[in-house]
Amino acid sequence: MKIGFIGLGIMGSRMAANLVKAGYDLKVYNRTKEKAGKLLEMGAEWAESAPEAAKEVDVLFTMLENPKVVEELATGMDGFLQAMDKNSIWIDSSTVNPSFSEKMAKVAKDYGIKFMDAPVSGSKLPAANAELLFLVGGEKEDLEKVRPLLKKMGKDAVHIGPVGKGSAMKIMINQLLGQSMLAFSESLNLGMAMGIDKKTAMDILLKTPVTAPILDVFRSRIENNDYEPNFPLKHLQKDLHLFTDTAYELGQPSPLTNTAKEVYGLAKHKNMADLDFSAIFKYLHEK
Ligand code: NAP
């Protein structure tokens, strides 16, 4: 089976590496070629363009920044869809909005290509350790065909529903992630302003059932002021935007998420776009 992989950032580079390690024949492309260095040493083949990576493969993965980038690379005269074989499968693991996944599925269908949205839950370390959870939207039978591949990159792949439902589940998860981190940061910051020692405040907050368990993972970052990105803040803000955009499309309320999105947006404008999203504490705390 021949596989193409486009997008070798924090997540894509590690996911692709697990496919190479598993012995799959992989063609890779990334806008910035340097990021493919390690993969090429491991035996992956370099493609000079996105269409080149998509040509003559059975399955193509994309792991790109946002819907705009996915659309730019996929569609049009120079897009990779026109280069793909009929009946091959395109799996978009980028975090995008459900209506965008539906749109890409329609475009792909026009080219005779099958589409699945399969965004992932899990960050840099789970990507490296093949412990991601794939949230899959699309045909069940297509998922079963590619499940062995997903199993090399993740601990499980769950069929959520038809096209778009993987993306839907993913933006729900990240909405909670972004809100939890922000609420915790706000509480901790005020606690410190009220004179409660930072360590004591974190000890207690992280033990109470009202705090999301995942926040424990970020404790050492806040303690050490270390915000090297696992999940860049600009991507979290993008995901909150995908959530509020979807809420607008569906006529649903999203007041808290709109507010949270703007707070991350302000942090982005304080040069924090490329820090880890947990730097939202730094943004609230620093004068
Ligand atoms: P990243 O390191 O910033 O990588 C982004 C990728 O998109 C890179 O390959 C980048 O190419 C490419 N890209 C951006 N703009 C482009 C453009 N204009 N043209 C062509 N390529 C472009 O991000 P990541 O953390 O791997 O995230 C990738 C996706 O996974 C995002 O949708 C993110 O929301 C999602 N995600 C991330 C995490 C996480 O913890 N990091 C977890 C789950 C899901 P260059 O290398 O040339 O910049």
Side-chain angles (χ1 to χ4, degrees):
M1 184 184 267
K2 184 93 185 166
I3 300 163
F5 207 114
I6 299 174
L8 306 172
I10 294 172
M11 298 297 284
S13 57
R14 289 167 175 81
M15 293 162 71
N18 283 326
L19 290 175
V20 179
K21 272 187 224 157
Y24 283 104
D25 190 2
L26 204 71
K27 261 206 284 187
V28 297
Y29 170 76
N30 194 52
R31 177 180 61 175
T32 310
K33 186 176 178 182
E34 292 77 62
K35 291 189 192 170
K38 200 170 147 216
L39 276 165
L40 303 186
E41 278 170 25
M42 290 168 72
E45 179 190 341
W46 175 249
E48 285 298 337
S49 65
E52 201 52 47
K55 210 164 123 185
E56 291 162 6
V57 299
D58 303 290
V59 179
L60 176 73
F61 286 94
T62 44
M63 192 53 167
L64 294 161
E65 183 158 338
N66 57 38
K68 186 166 168 272
V69 174
V70 175
E71 187 162 17
E72 270 171 19
L73 293 193
T75 63
M77 295 286 281
D78 301 325
F80 61 71
L81 282 170
Q82 51 82 21
M84 290 180 75
D85 288 348
K86 285 210 176 351
N87 289 320
S88 56
I89 301 178
W90 169 25
I91 302 175
D92 186 23
S93 285
S94 323
T95 304
V96 300
N97 46 319
S99 60
F100 177 78
S101 295
E102 287 165 12
K103 181 176 164 191
M104 287 303 102
K106 282 199 187 91
V107 186
K109 198 174 175 195
D110 289 343
Y111 286 96
I113 291 149
K114 295 171 182 179
F115 175 87
M116 286 166 43
D117 44 306
V120 297
S121 180
S123 192
K124 186 173 168 178
L125 209 60
N129 296 339
E131 286 169 352
L132 296 169
L133 173 65
F134 285 88
L135 308 161
V136 182
E139 297 289 332
K140 252 186 181 165
E141 62 179 37
D142 291 340
L143 168 58
E144 293 318 317
K145 274 188 216 153
V146 301
R147 190 181 285 281
L149 293 178
L150 303 186
K151 288 287 275 183
K152 296 295 177 204
M153 296 184 280
K155 58 183 177 193
D156 203 0
V158 185
H159 185 249
I160 311 290
V163 162
K165 300 300 182 244
S167 296
M169 197 71 231
K170 174 64 188 171
I171 61 172
M172 288 163 64
I173 293 172
N174 277 19
Q175 182 255 9
L176 286 172
L177 179 66
Q179 302 261 23
S180 306
M181 191 71 234
L182 177 56
F184 178 79
S185 298
E186 196 172 308
S187 182
L188 179 61
N189 180 59
L190 183 65
M192 289 165 70
M194 291 188 295
I196 297 179
D197 167 67
K198 188 181 187 182
K199 181 179 178 313
T200 306
M202 289 222 265
D203 279 349
I204 303 291
L205 286 178
L206 290 169
K207 277 190 195 127
T208 63
V210 293
T211 303
I214 192 166
L215 295 178
D216 206 31
V217 171
F218 300 96
R219 177 182 187 137
S220 67
R221 288 184 171 280
I222 293 174
E223 273 171 352
N224 303 322
N225 201 25
D226 167 16
Y227 298 107
E228 196 214 318
N230 281 0
F231 183 28
L233 187 143
K234 64 182 176 189
H235 295 348
L236 190 273
Q237 193 223 6
K238 175 259 302 180
D239 295 350
L240 297 180
H241 177 67
L242 299 175
F243 188 97
T244 57
D245 225 28
T246 304
Y248 181 79
E249 281 171 14
L250 299 176
Q252 297 301 317
S254 56
L256 294 180
T257 315
N258 268 296
T259 303
K261 172 180 121 178
E262 292 307 327
V263 181
Y264 283 99
L266 288 167
K268 210 167 92 171
H269 283 278
K270 287 277 184 193
N271 292 325
M272 294 184 178
D274 293 314
L275 298 184
D276 193 74
F277 82 103
S278 50
I280 202 66
F281 173 76
K282 180 182 168 77
Y283 172 71
L284 293 180
H285 186 64
E286 284 183 0
K287 296 275 181 312

